Amino acid sequence: MLFRSRFAERHNIPMVTTLLSKSTIDENHRLFAGVYCGSKTSQESVCKLVDESDCLIVLGEMLTDMMFGFQSQKFNKRQSIFCSIEELKIRNHNYSNIGFLDFCNQIFKFDLGKKDESKIFERKIKEKFNPEKTNITTERFFQKIDSMLTDQMIVVADIGECLFGASELTVSYHHFISPAFYCSMGFAIPSALGVSFAKPNLRPVVLVGDGAFQMSATELSTILTHNLNPIIFVLNNHRSEEHTSELQ
């Protein structure tokens, strides 16, 4: 992460992640642009950066349906460089004998020359959460969560609305956990238990749907037995707008 960030800083290159790699970059970094997950799920500014890039460098990613938010691919492969543990792909050429680390070590040393100051990337700043008496919506709920996160918290998101809503949260380096690849329902509560033991200095903020919660809610007894303190939010997908409570 350190060398990648230095390379980006040296040449003012914006960085994005996918759902599978969220928090591999500190999302408070000035060059972090957001999470890419297809045109219907990602922010418009993130999609524009990726899909219209004239040189897209993709490191360690798998081109799966989850990467594109189950939508068609928009960026041009002929203007892209893909490097994974399996091989290096540049345009229509495959280089299976070039290792991932070897490629990264060399490209991060590369000097692209003087920056073009007219193309300096400016990160879109999120609006500050404004406390006011109003109905809770999914968007406003995640805005509130985003406003309360600190470096001492780690987000644990279950699948579905929790996962895709959490993709827009701003988290620190390696402060996000989810089953994004397998979408394993019921993951969040047991994961929070594991995180609490593995990283006792971090407080899990758990986002779980009502169905997934029922699959592993019994682990709450273990959490209570060991006096652990995760913050758990249970989202009801069948909430009634007529009975929506108010958030301040």
Side-chain angles (χ1 to χ4, degrees), residues 232-244:
I232 301 174
F233 295 95
V234 182
L235 281 69
N236 181 0
N237 296 332
H238 298 287
R239 64 194 182 282
S240 170
E241 292 298 333
E242 295 180 2
H243 298 91
T244 301

Side-chain angles (χ1 to χ4, degrees), residues 42 145 194 214 218:
S42 314
I145 298 298
Q214 294 178 64
T218 52

Side-chain angles (χ1 to χ4, degrees), residues 189-190 192-194 196-197 216-230:
I189 302 297
L193 175 62
S196 297
F197 283 124
S216 52
T218 52
E219 291 300 340
L220 287 178
S221 63
T222 310
I223 289 172
L224 292 172
T225 297
H226 293 275
N227 295 317
L228 305 176
N229 65 342

Side-chain angles (χ1 to χ4, degrees), residues 119-135:
K119 296 181 179 180
I120 290 180
F121 169 73
E122 293 185 4
R123 180 181 177 181
K124 183 180 179 181
I125 304 300
K126 290 185 178 180
E127 293 183 7
K128 186 177 180 180
F129 182 80
N130 182 26
E132 59 183 62
K133 196 172 185 180
T134 183
N135 288 342

Side-chain angles (χ1 to χ4, degrees), residues 1-10 15 23-26 29 31 59 104-105 108-109 173-174:
M1 182 268 182
L2 180 60
F3 291 110
R4 177 174 57 219
S5 297
R6 286 178 179 173
F7 177 72
E9 289 165 359
R10 192 162 66 245
M15 300 178 287
S23 84
T24 55
I25 296 172
D26 186 342
H29 194 285
L31 290 175
L59 300 175
C104 290
N105 287 335
F108 293 158
K109 295 177 184 177
Y173 180 51
H174 281 177

